[in-house]
Amino acid sequence: YMTPTQLTGTIRPLLSGNARVLYGTAPTGNTAAYFDGSTGTYINLGTSTPVNFNLNTSNIFCEAWIYLNTFDSPSNRIIFHEGTGGLNWSFQVNSGRPVIGSWGTVSGVLTAFNFSGSNTTTTSTWTHVAWAYTTTGRPIVYLNGIPELGTPLANYIIGYDSVNNTLIGRNFSPFLNWYIRDMRIIKGGTVPTTSFTPQAAPWAYASVPSYSSGGTNIL
């Protein structure tokens, strides 16, 4: 979670296209980042500290409240590493269903993996979403605190480090039409594997959720 001052000073310079921060005018009177679905509209957090992820050494846990105006096809990407070469991973909402995906070249072979949750969200409502990658290679997605475990990725995703930009709201055409608020990313620590009750937003800046332990809050 970022206060309005931190949103202005830290996030605003990273906005691309028509992405913008709405102060108290997002749905139900919230402050949130807004993406209108136009091409090139997203947030770029870059590759440097603190978003230099390395799955050899640290788990990753991320949570946020999202409000989808539409379900776009083929997918809505909420956080997405992309680039040329190397391993890439993303968390998506695909037709309302949380999906975690990764792909890249391993031992000269292009490999893809997708894990889709069975629960779905809807448009025009605030929904809590969360996801994690662990150093064991196991992805987890959560919708309103309900976890669903994907198949372990063996040595495929383990060792991934962030050589590509961390992009929020990035998508292939069409781009995502949505709002996101109270997002936090935690690097390291122990991530939850059972159901939890999402904390009510807004969260205190730099706080960590009570359902995970340890780690460093980096956003």
Side-chain angles (χ1 to χ4, degrees):
Y1 170 71
M2 308 193 84
T3 66
T5 298
Q6 290 156 334
L7 278 169
T8 300
T10 304
I11 295 298
R12 188 175 294 280
L14 307 177
L15 301 179
S16 297
N18 291 328
R20 61 187 186 271
V21 178
L22 302 178
Y23 296 100
T25 57
T28 62
N30 285 280
T31 292
Y34 171 59
F35 307 77
D36 65 0
S38 61
T39 299
T41 296
Y42 57 92
I43 296 174
N44 187 348
L45 300 182
T47 61
S48 302
T49 302
V51 291
N52 55 333
F53 304 114
N54 189 330
L55 284 171
N56 273 325
T57 59
S58 299
N59 297 330
I60 302 169
F61 177 79
C62 183
E63 65 173 342
W65 288 88
I66 65 170
Y67 187 105
L68 298 172
N69 291 320
T70 61
F71 286 150
D72 294 328
S73 179
S75 59
N76 298 329
R77 285 178 166 75
I78 292 175
I79 185 167
F80 180 31
H81 287 261
E82 66 171 6
T84 56
L87 301 178
N88 304 277
W89 60 270
S90 71
F91 178 84
Q92 311 165 16
V93 176
N94 191 329
S95 299
R97 195 178 304 276
V99 175
I100 209 164
S102 55
W103 56 96
T105 301
V106 181
S107 300
V109 178
L110 182 64
T111 305
F113 171 87
N114 283 283
F115 168 67
S116 176
S118 58
N119 297 309
T120 59
T121 184
T122 59
T123 58
S124 302
T125 187
W126 286 105
T127 301
H128 184 275
V129 294
W131 63 96
Y133 272 123
T134 70
T135 55
T136 62
R138 179 178 290 275
I140 312 172
V141 297
Y142 314 79
L143 185 66
N144 291 323
I146 306 298
E148 302 187 61
L149 303 178
T151 303
L153 299 181
N155 63 354
Y156 171 49
I157 199 68
I158 295 175
Y160 172 75
D161 56 10
S162 183
V163 296
N164 303 309
N165 289 324
T166 296
L167 306 176
I168 299 171
R170 176 68 169 89
N171 195 13
F172 299 114
S173 180
F175 278 67
L176 183 56
N177 188 327
W178 69 318
Y179 303 84
I180 183 171
R181 65 183 176 94
D182 298 284
M183 180 180 184
R184 56 184 165 194
I185 304 173
I186 296 172
K187 185 162 54 177
T190 302
V191 303
T193 57
T194 58
S195 298
F196 58 82
T197 300
Q199 293 182 14
W203 305 314
Y205 178 64
S207 68
V208 295
S210 57
Y211 36 82
S212 66
S213 61
T216 301
N217 193 54
I218 65 173
L219 179 66

